[in-house]
Amino acid sequence: MSVGETIDARVAAGTGALVGYLPVGFPSLGASVDAAVALVENGVDALELGIPYSDPVMDGPVIQDATQAALANGFRLAHGFEAVRAIRAQVDAPVLMMTYWNPVVQYGVDRFADDLAAAGGAGLITPDLVPDEGDAWLAASDRTGLDRVFLAAPSSSDARLALTVEASRGFVYAVSTMGITGARADVDRAARELVERLRTAGSPRSCVGVGISTAEQVREVVSYADGAIVGSALVKALADGGVEGVAALAAELARGTRPTG
Amino acid sequence: MSLRTETGPYFGDFGGRFVPESLIAALDELDEAWQLAKLDPAFHDELDGLLRDYVGRPSPLTEVRRFAEHAGGARVFLKREDLNHTGSHKINNVLGQALLTKRVGKTRVIAETGAGQHGVATATAAALFGLECVIYMGEVDTERQALNVARMRLLGAEVIPVTHGSRTLKDAINEAMRDWVTNVGHTNYIFGTVAGPHPFPAMVRDLQKVIGEEARAQMLERTGTLPTAVAACVGGGSNAIGIFHAFLDDADVALYGFEAGGEGVDTERHAATIGKGRPGVLHGARSYLLQDEDGQTIESHSISAGLDYPGVGPEHSWLADVGRARYRASTDAAAMDALRLLSRTEGIIPAIESAHALAGALELGRELGPEASILVNLSGRGDKDMETAAKWFELIDGEEGA
Ligand SMILES: Cc1ncc(COP(=O)(O)O)c(C=O)c1O
């Protein structure tokens, strides 16, 4: 199933989707694959696989530390495609790559798209690429059929939301709050309003990310959005408790997607 | 066709806006405020008044005859940005952006700094305008520019040492961007050089081009003609674009940017971005960049904190590609020799950054010969660098080194 179909199926079932982020290569390439598989086995509906990058301006300290460790361990872009392939061989959930733009540019936008598609990847989430700069990627994703998830922020104008909705495929990533990744005590009311504005702008699906760390927050988010994206909390669980620890958190978060009772 | 009319977001293939969507609204707001300010005589009156009465502009042009004896007999002129209030060209840009901060109604400013000069300038403007001020500085740089850290704190700014990544200027920019994404509602990012997402490259250029406008007129008045060559050091490229811009359409004036050659451009320890890098995306713009095969940024190295940056402003990448300006490198050793030479021949202690341009001018003079005149942007003074210089030349305990 595609990302869109996966989310739609969950929404139709009255739950909403849970999207889990983990970086490739942390704590090792093998363990990152095992952890991603464990997420799916414990109720995560779609994966967002982060490509470690030297200058991750959208990321808070937890993800920075993990991705810097992966780079120090010798992460190469080829490992990203290997990881997608290895995960897809074990579980059926759609796998999106989350990557800053320069690695894609250097690899070659078309080559990157081809290799991602060949590995069984679903598409890209691009935190520092806005649709305005995305011509090459729009063309490559149209050619390969890959999804492209652009970000929308509470500060985005209506005109920009329309542009983002138009350019996105799969879902729109609604940034919950003004800020970078990292667990937060409460997810902004801004998220609810943004999702509503995205719907008005014609977005078929919005998932809310940044700051979500508990089952309670997931439950709240899926009450108004199509899905909830959890990153730093999972990375921290993996760092602290290994694959078992992250699996346990995933199971707990997945309970948040189901209606209470 | 004029080369002086570029307004961004693109300079040829370079520039643009590669940033999180969360920042687009703030960049649009800044761009709009800047476009309006540019057309507003009241803004220019206020800025010109500050540049005159607070900074001390116009900065002098000094001919350095004893220094020039070492430059093949060419005449050498220094544009004295070191004499500006706060000690470098950085204040020109900061005052403009601080005025803009007031116009967009924000109360807090943040900035990155490498050598500390941009941080000092920003802390100064924040004190002058009553703005809250936070400066991000790589931990490595807080150590080698400790004097400037003290200056910023004395001026009332909070200095946050950045402990991630290479702990230098590039990481300070990352951290400042993260702060901005989070606090953009009441915070303006006063960017220190002609890199970054649009509108920064064009806006900072516009605020620094006064250097070249003054220098061009001063050269004409002093020598009756334009210089043969203009030389400036290039970190992100603001002092260089500042002095180049007025000369871009003077086809006979050769423009030379000097990047930091570190321990040599054929070693792994340098910051010669245009010389040794290739185009890529960093800090919001497409430009030349030091990077590995996978597009991971490579850490740069320079004895000079202000030039220790693996990126460069997009307008320089464009000027290099179209061949209007040439970019070379000065090594740590050549820059330190030039620093000492200017100190001993002229009684002027330059910033280590600026000493890279001086080393370049010595080389250019020998190539161009005694008929040539070379205009050098002396972008800053060397007080902040005394600890580094003392170590390099072993000035503190005993005999002078090599
Ligand atoms: C005196 C001086 N010159 C030059 C630079 C380099 O910056 P840019 O290339 O933007 O002029 C710095 C930066 O800190 C500086 O302090």
Side-chain angles (χ1 to χ4, degrees), chain B residues 38-181:
Chain B
K38 271 205 297 195
L39 299 173
D40 182 356
F43 177 82
H44 289 284
D45 283 351
E46 196 173 358
L47 182 57
D48 292 350
L50 284 165
L51 291 177
R52 183 184 62 237
D53 304 331
Y54 190 69
V55 176
R57 301 207 73 87
S59 64
L61 185 76
T62 305
E63 180 165 10
V64 283
R65 294 190 180 80
R66 276 167 44 75
F67 179 81
E69 287 168 14
H70 302 262
R75 294 180 75 178
V76 177
F77 297 84
L78 305 184
K79 180 60 174 163
R80 300 294 303 279
E81 295 298 303
D82 63 317
L83 294 178
N84 294 342
H85 177 46
T86 71
S88 82
H89 69 293
K90 297 286 183 186
I91 191 80
N92 304 328
N93 165 46
V94 163
L95 288 174
Q97 291 196 54
L99 287 178
L100 218 52
T101 304
K102 288 206 306 182
R103 283 173 82 101
V104 296
K106 294 186 173 175
T107 55
R108 176 176 179 266
V109 292
I110 56 171
E112 83 294 344
T113 196
Q117 290 302 108
H118 176 59
V120 166
T122 303
T124 298
L128 181 64
F129 294 130
L131 300 165
E132 185 187 342
C133 180
V134 174
I135 305 293
Y136 292 94
M137 189 169 187
E139 195 177 39
V140 170
D141 295 336
T142 60
E143 286 158 14
R144 61 180 158 175
Q145 309 280 213
L147 178 66
N148 272 345
V149 175
R151 289 170 81 195
M152 290 182 267
R153 289 185 172 144
L154 189 63
L155 289 160
E158 182 185 356
V159 179
I160 301 182
V162 175
T163 56
H164 276 98
S166 58
R167 297 177 294 132
T168 59
L169 181 54
K170 122 182 143 60
D171 309 281
I173 294 175
N174 292 340
E175 210 50 40
M177 290 232 204
R178 293 185 187 109
D179 180 314
W180 204 27
V181 171

Side-chain angles (χ1 to χ4, degrees), chain B residues 17-31:
Chain B
R17 270 187 186 171
F18 296 84
V19 293
E21 172 67 22
S22 306
L23 287 180
I24 298 285
L27 292 169
D28 278 343
E29 176 188 49
L30 205 55
D31 191 24

Side-chain angles (χ1 to χ4, degrees), chain B residues 87-90 113-118 145 148 169 192-195 204 208 233-241 304-307 312 316 351-354 377-381 384-385:
Chain B
S88 82
H89 69 293
K90 297 286 183 186
T113 196
Q117 290 302 108
H118 176 59
Q145 309 280 213
N148 272 345
L169 181 54
T193 190
V194 288
V204 176
Q208 290 292 4
C233 67
V234 180
S238 67
N239 88 90
I241 214 78
S304 140
L307 305 185
V312 68
H316 286 293
I352 298 178
E353 289 78 16
S354 321
N377 195 4
L378 199 75
S379 57
R381 67 182 188 221
K384 68 186 177 58
D385 295 316

Side-chain angles (χ1 to χ4, degrees), chain A residues 146-171:
Chain A
L146 289 170
D147 283 334
R148 45 187 189 235
V149 176
F150 289 103
L151 276 58
S155 60
S156 305
S157 65
D158 288 344
R160 289 204 60 80
L161 290 187
L163 176 80
T164 304
V165 168
E166 168 75 26
S168 297
R169 186 164 57 219
F171 64 90

Side-chain angles (χ1 to χ4, degrees), chain A residues 48-135:
Chain A
E48 176 184 348
L49 216 52
I51 297 299
Y53 175 57
S54 52
D55 297 275
V57 293
M58 257 307 275
D59 287 310
V62 170
I63 293 178
Q64 279 182 57
D65 286 347
T67 53
Q68 299 316 295
L71 287 171
N73 286 340
F75 171 83
R76 297 295 313 264
L77 283 183
H79 298 154
F81 303 113
E82 267 174 51
V84 172
R85 188 168 276 119
I87 294 165
R88 295 281 296 161
Q90 296 173 67
V91 289
D92 193 31
V95 182
L96 292 157
M97 259 191 193
M98 182 283 209
T99 178
Y100 290 89
W101 196 235
N102 196 45
V104 181
V105 172
Q106 300 308 320
Y107 197 82
V109 177
D110 277 307
R111 182 177 161 226
F112 201 103
D114 287 336
D115 288 3
L116 180 59
L124 290 183
I125 301 175
T126 49
D128 64 347
L129 183 73
V130 288
D132 322 49
E133 302 282 2
D135 285 354

Side-chain angles (χ1 to χ4, degrees), chain B residues 309-352:
Chain B
Y309 180 55
V312 68
E315 194 167 5
H316 286 293
S317 293
W318 172 64
L319 291 173
D321 262 20
V322 300
R324 177 61 189 101
R326 273 166 276 190
Y327 296 84
R328 298 182 176 183
S330 301
T331 61
D332 289 351
M336 294 309 287
D337 284 349
L339 178 144
R340 184 172 56 184
L341 184 65
L342 190 73
S343 303
R344 299 228 167 141
T345 55
E346 303 287 345
I348 299 171
I349 302 178
I352 298 178

